[in-house]
Amino acid sequence: MSDLFTLLLWAWLMASSFVVSGNMSAYASPLATSGFRFLLALAVITLALLVSWRHTKLPLFEKCRQLFHSWQRVRQYLFISGTLVGFFVGLFVALQSTTPLHTSVLYTLVPLMGVLIAKTWLKESASRLRVLGFVLGTIGAISVLFATQQGASYQWYTGDSIFLGACLLLALHVLSVQKWGRSLGALPGAFMIMLFGSIWLLPVVLIWGDLSHVMWSSSGFWMNSLYLTFFTTLLTFVLQQRLVVQVGASRLLAISYTIPVWVACYTAISQSRFASLLDAGFLMGVLLLLLALTLIDERIKQRSSLDGSSSAAK
């Protein structure tokens, strides 16, 4: 599976999570939905991990001990999971005093935040051309969003400040996976995120999840929940773990610019509004996104090539 196809698959699954999560609001609160999908995903990935361990010569207890033997690793994955849960909680709190359009617009700032955090925390160099690519990506994604929202205008709400902080946590999450996630494979790494994410989420869901109104008997609840669990939680987490290690956080953050495009395409197809995909603002946004992804990818390739040459010289 090529890196580009895997990146696009991850972005498409992330886009589908926005659509399906919107459908879940009729059956459960956003916090209850998140808590349930984390716990169900944890149960599934635990079984998958145990099955994979059975093919090794070491006993299961020893494999488990190795996974948790380092307190430093535990602290790292507590941070990785905590930033992700913080993003979800921040999103749900923000939506009480802002709109989905506002959160979608602010979400496009996550890659730029990632570049700034990588420069200050991970000491990664960021050329002007690469930064320009991220700026163009943000402008392109915002153009796509506004082109699909007829007559939309923008003003600052209280929830926007909350979600801005949540976006910062998400950027920290992706970069912390890059910094510390190389010590584990994709499956055990995703298991650790699920485990500690569930621990972070559980008290929040029990207190504020409005569990008494969850429609457990509805088939719609289970169909949407199972999709969110298996495809937009389990699969995306495993793909993210692999992609961050193989292609880096910058490419993962960059491909997230395409998420509004996939959502717009789904909306156009489901509502038979194909003309919206020919809107001048939408097409301009897509062209800016393609230019941005080209600039970002070229800078990453050049840096990887230089790093490879330096290593060979040594």
Side-chain angles (χ1 to χ4, degrees):
M1 187 184 296
S2 68
D3 291 339
L4 177 60
F5 177 79
T6 309
L7 283 166
L8 290 173
L9 176 62
W10 176 84
W12 186 86
L13 289 170
M14 289 296 293
S16 71
S17 72
F18 284 94
V19 177
V20 179
S21 293
N23 297 336
M24 276 297 292
S25 61
Y27 307 104
S29 70
L31 277 177
T33 299
S34 295
F36 180 73
R37 67 195 272 195
F38 262 74
L39 288 172
L40 184 57
L42 174 62
V44 174
I45 205 167
T46 300
L47 289 175
L49 190 62
L50 291 174
V51 169
S52 69
W53 282 351
R54 290 185 67 87
H55 296 291
T56 64
K57 296 180 180 179
L58 290 176
L60 295 181
F61 177 78
E62 181 62 23
K63 294 290 292 186
C64 187
R65 191 192 68 80
Q66 289 180 358
L67 194 60
F68 294 98
H69 82 283
S70 170
W71 173 237
Q72 181 181 19
R73 176 185 288 169
V74 171
R75 291 200 310 268
Q76 290 168 352
Y77 273 92
L78 276 170
F79 180 84
I80 291 172
S81 303
T83 50
L84 182 63
V85 170
F87 166 75
F88 281 120
V89 173
L91 170 62
F92 301 145
V93 173
L95 284 172
Q96 296 175 4
S97 54
T98 189
T99 66
L101 174 62
H102 284 218
T103 56
S104 300
V105 172
L106 291 173
Y107 182 82
T108 63
L109 298 175
V110 171
L112 263 180
M113 291 178 175
V115 172
L116 297 175
I117 295 172
K119 183 175 179 60
T120 56
W121 183 29
L122 304 183
K123 308 303 179 184
E124 288 188 359
S125 60
S127 68
R128 292 181 180 179
L129 196 60
R130 185 177 167 203
V131 173
L132 175 62
F134 280 101
V135 172
L136 290 177
T138 299
I139 296 172
I142 292 174
S143 298
V144 168
L145 285 165
F146 276 101
T148 56
Q149 301 286 331
Q150 299 299 323
S153 59
Y154 203 94
Q155 67 182 82
W156 195 263
Y157 295 125
T158 303
D160 296 333
S161 300
I162 297 172
F163 189 65
L164 199 62
C167 288
L168 183 64
L169 289 176
L170 183 60
L172 275 170
H173 166 73
V174 175
L175 288 166
S176 60
V177 171
Q178 175 177 303
K179 183 176 176 64
W180 296 316
R182 297 177 186 275
S183 63
L184 292 175
L187 189 61
F191 165 78
M192 295 288 276
I193 293 175
M194 295 292 180
L195 174 63
F196 292 119
S198 299
I199 293 173
W200 281 113
L201 260 177
L202 190 58
V204 177
V205 172
L206 290 175
I207 298 172
W208 294 290
D210 199 16
L211 297 179
S212 60
H213 290 86
V214 176
M215 300 177 64
W216 299 102
S217 60
S218 171
S219 60
F221 170 83
W222 288 101
M223 289 178 62
N224 287 287
S225 293
L226 290 175
Y227 179 86
L228 288 172
T229 298
F230 285 97
F231 293 100
T232 69
T233 302
L234 278 172
L235 186 53
T236 54
F237 275 30
V238 173
L239 288 176
Q240 178 177 294
Q241 286 283 111
R242 181 173 298 172
L243 286 168
V244 167
V245 173
Q246 289 182 347
V247 304
S250 293
R251 277 183 177 168
L252 186 74
L253 290 169
I255 205 68
S256 68
Y257 281 134
T258 65
I259 291 175
V261 177
W262 303 124
V263 174
C265 290
Y266 171 83
T267 303
I269 294 171
S270 62
Q271 300 179 5
S272 298
R273 291 171 47 194
F274 299 100
S276 64
L277 300 180
L278 301 176
D279 180 86
F282 179 84
L283 293 175
M284 183 189 73
V286 172
L287 289 174
L288 284 174
L289 285 175
L290 291 174
L291 177 59
L293 292 174
T294 301
L295 289 174
I296 295 168
D297 196 54
E298 283 301 315
R299 294 309 302 173
I300 294 173
K301 285 180 179 178
Q302 289 178 18
R303 189 184 65 185
S304 299
S305 177
L306 289 173
D307 292 344
S309 299
S310 300
S311 300
K314 291 178 183 179

